[in-house]
């Protein structure tokens, strides 16, 4: 584990962010918030996948009012995503939102920001200052262009406004669709300010492209010890965002949740259908929450060694394979039975 930069701690409902708290996983619904039934159903699926904070779009007063019903039927904190209308931020707090996300640059000026700050104070809630490369104020963009410095200067202006009005229960995001620009902005901000950071790559893309960009960008920021909560942005089912986020955290050994499947890239030595077996194993274990390393290896070169190092493992041979548990061989079986036998062993051991 590498060193993490310490930041001020804030609360988003029951979840602590910053100050040494674990890096939390967020997502955002893509349902119409006014359709409370659909939104609640999606949030419950996200909870099962490991989502710890959820954000919903608040497009009008009806959506703000819907937060009350949604909050009463879910188990994780809820953030209201606000643009342009400060009154929706205030209404969302009154409906029970644990936090709001605003871009102070499009909320209508300092007087509107002050009203939002006052509402947060009155309700004992927190705020996310969300700055994007695409919404940098005109004067800052004119001076710095679209750059990391411009993103940080924009965020700094908002931070100082909040400080001026004695409100520091906020976190900050400095997102761009460019990985390098995002990494530079987060790094620069962390050098200057002590506030917790929400890390992500905005408009990352589809499941495949977005996963690669988000892993590269979020991973690069976290590996610098920067970041207190993350959201992977993907064009698709938000459940995939949560799964990718957890894989990033597990890869960096920052959090552990569920099974991590280790499998070799295959080569001409493989004597079983390793690709199929690895994919089926990962799918079968996707709902497990117990932190485990399971190796699925396809040949006798590295297979037995890797399988012994994992909590459980499969080492394939010619149409058959060995099942390992904590470094010891527990069974030899035909290829077609390897996954079912592994699942049986996990069940016997009470792994869920």
């Amino acid at each position: 584990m590498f060193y993490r930069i310490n930041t001020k701690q804030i609360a988003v409902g029951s979840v602590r962010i910053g100050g040494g708290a674990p890096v939390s996983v967020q997502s955002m619904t893509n349902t119409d918030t006014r359709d409370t039934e659909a939104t609640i159903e999606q949030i419950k699926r996200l909870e099962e996948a490991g989502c710890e904070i959820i954000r919903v779009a608040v497009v009008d007063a009806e959506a703000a009012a819907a937060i009350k019903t949604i909050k009463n039927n879910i188990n994780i904190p809820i953030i209201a995503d606000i643009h342009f209308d400060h009154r929706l931020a205030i209404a969302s707090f009154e409906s029970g939102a644990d936090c709001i996300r605003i871009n102070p640059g499009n909320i209508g000026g300092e007087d509107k920001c002050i009203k939002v700050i006052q509402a947060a104070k009155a309700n004992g809630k927190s705020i996310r200052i969300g700055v994007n490369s695409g919404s940098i104020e005109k004067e800052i963009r004119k001076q710095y262009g679209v750059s990391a410095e411009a993103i940080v200067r924009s965020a700094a202006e908002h931070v100082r406004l909040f400080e001026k009005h004695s409100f520091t229960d906020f976190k900050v995001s400095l997102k761009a669709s460019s990985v390098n620009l995002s990494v530079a902005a987060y790094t620069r901000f962390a050098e200057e300010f002590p506030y917790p950071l929400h890390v992500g790559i905005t408009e990352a893309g589809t499941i495949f492209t977005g996963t690669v960009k988000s892993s590269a960008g979020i991973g690069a920021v976290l590996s610098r010890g920067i970041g207190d909560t993350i959201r992977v942005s993907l064009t698709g089912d938000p459940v995939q965002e949560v799964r990718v986020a957890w894989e990033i955290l597990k890869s960096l050994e920052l959090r552990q949740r569920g099974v991590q499947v280790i499998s070799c890239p295959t080569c001409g030595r493989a004597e079983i259908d390793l690709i199929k077996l690895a994919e089926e194993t990962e799918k079968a274990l996707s709902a497990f929450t117990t932190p485990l390393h399971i190796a699925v290896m396809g040949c006798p070169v590295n297979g037995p060694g890797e399988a012994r190092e994992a909590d459980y493992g499969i080492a394939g041979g010619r149409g058959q394979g060995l099942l390992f548990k904590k470094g010891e061989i527990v069974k030899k079986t035909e290829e077609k039975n390897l996954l079912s036998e592994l699942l049986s062993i996990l069940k016997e051991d009470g792994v869920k």
Side-chain angles (χ1 to χ4, degrees):
M1 175 99 54
F2 40 79
Y3 170 77
R4 285 181 63 201
I5 295 172
N6 193 41
T7 54
K8 173 183 171 20
Q9 187 171 94
I10 68 167
V12 175
S14 58
V15 178
R16 297 285 170 175
I17 296 176
V23 178
S24 54
V25 172
Q26 301 193 25
S27 186
M28 184 172 181
T29 57
N30 58 15
T31 56
D32 184 336
T33 305
R34 295 165 294 193
D35 184 346
T36 56
E37 185 177 344
T39 302
I40 290 165
E41 188 277 331
Q42 187 173 80
I43 293 172
K44 288 186 178 298
R45 289 197 301 114
L46 287 161
E47 287 178 357
E48 290 175 2
C51 184
E52 296 171 309
I53 300 171
I54 189 63
R55 180 159 47 110
V56 299
V58 176
V59 297
D60 58 19
E62 185 182 351
I67 287 175
K68 184 174 182 179
T69 299
I70 295 167
K71 184 175 173 64
N72 288 336
N73 287 277
I74 63 174
N75 301 303
I76 56 178
I78 188 168
I79 298 175
D81 191 74
I82 311 293
H83 286 280
F84 307 115
D85 191 342
H86 75 287
R87 294 169 298 180
L88 295 179
I90 296 169
S92 295
F93 278 138
E94 292 172 349
S95 289
D98 297 291
C99 176
I100 61 162
R101 183 269 187 179
I102 60 170
N103 183 335
N106 70 25
I107 208 68
E110 182 172 344
D111 59 329
K112 304 295 193 304
C113 280
I114 293 170
K115 290 179 181 179
V116 174
I117 290 169
Q118 291 170 340
K121 286 182 177 180
N123 289 277
K125 305 299 184 181
S126 56
I127 293 174
R128 167 156 74 101
I129 297 173
V131 179
N132 286 342
S133 60
S135 58
I136 300 168
E137 292 86 339
K138 187 180 294 183
E139 289 303 312
I140 294 176
R141 190 170 66 248
K142 184 177 179 181
Q143 182 175 359
Y144 297 102
V146 179
S147 64
E149 188 63 24
I151 297 172
V152 173
R153 288 308 102 214
S154 177
E157 285 195 3
H158 305 322
V159 165
R160 293 190 178 107
L161 171 61
F162 279 47
E163 290 176 334
K164 175 182 173 182
H165 295 283
S166 304
F167 185 79
T168 58
D169 288 334
F170 61 83
K171 52 193 170 80
V172 180
S173 62
L174 308 99
K175 295 184 180 182
S177 59
S178 162
V179 168
N180 290 336
L181 185 55
S182 297
V183 173
Y186 279 110
T187 304
R188 176 74 181 83
F189 184 91
E191 292 170 348
E192 187 172 348
F193 296 99
Y195 297 106
L197 286 168
H198 169 118
V199 179
I201 304 298
T202 194
E203 300 152 4
T206 58
I207 299 295
F208 175 74
T209 305
T211 294
V212 174
K213 286 184 70 174
S214 294
S215 299
I218 295 172
V221 174
L222 293 175
S223 69
R224 287 164 168 78
I226 299 167
D228 304 284
T229 184
I230 65 172
R231 188 257 172 128
V232 172
S233 299
L234 301 176
T235 304
D237 185 344
V239 168
Q240 296 299 324
E241 298 184 350
V242 175
R243 290 175 177 162
V244 173
W246 274 105
E247 288 303 318
I248 292 171
L249 294 179
K250 289 191 290 185
S251 296
L252 294 170
E253 299 179 5
L254 284 169
R255 297 283 300 275
Q256 292 299 324
R257 183 186 189 276
V259 174
Q260 187 166 12
V261 175
I262 302 164
S263 59
C264 59
T266 77
C267 68
R269 298 185 185 90
E271 296 178 314
I272 62 171
D273 188 350
L274 180 65
I275 295 173
K276 179 182 177 182
L277 179 60
E279 289 176 347
E280 290 181 346
T281 301
E282 189 169 69
K283 183 177 180 180
L285 302 177
S286 62
F288 284 49
T289 57
T290 305
L292 289 175
H293 284 78
I294 294 182
V296 182
M297 311 302 290
C299 80
V301 177
N302 295 317
E306 293 288 350
R308 286 193 187 94
E309 291 298 314
D311 295 301
Y312 297 86
I314 295 171
R318 185 173 298 172
Q320 57 187 6
L322 302 174
L323 291 161
F324 287 82
K325 173 183 171 181
K326 302 295 183 183
E328 300 293 330
I329 298 173
V330 293
K331 197 159 194 177
K332 182 177 181 179
T333 188
E334 294 181 18
E335 177 181 350
K336 64 180 181 180
N337 297 325
L338 284 169
L339 178 54
S340 61
E341 292 290 351
L342 173 65
L343 292 174
S344 295
I345 293 170
L346 294 175
K347 185 177 180 180
E348 289 173 6
D349 290 351
V351 177
K352 298 179 180 179

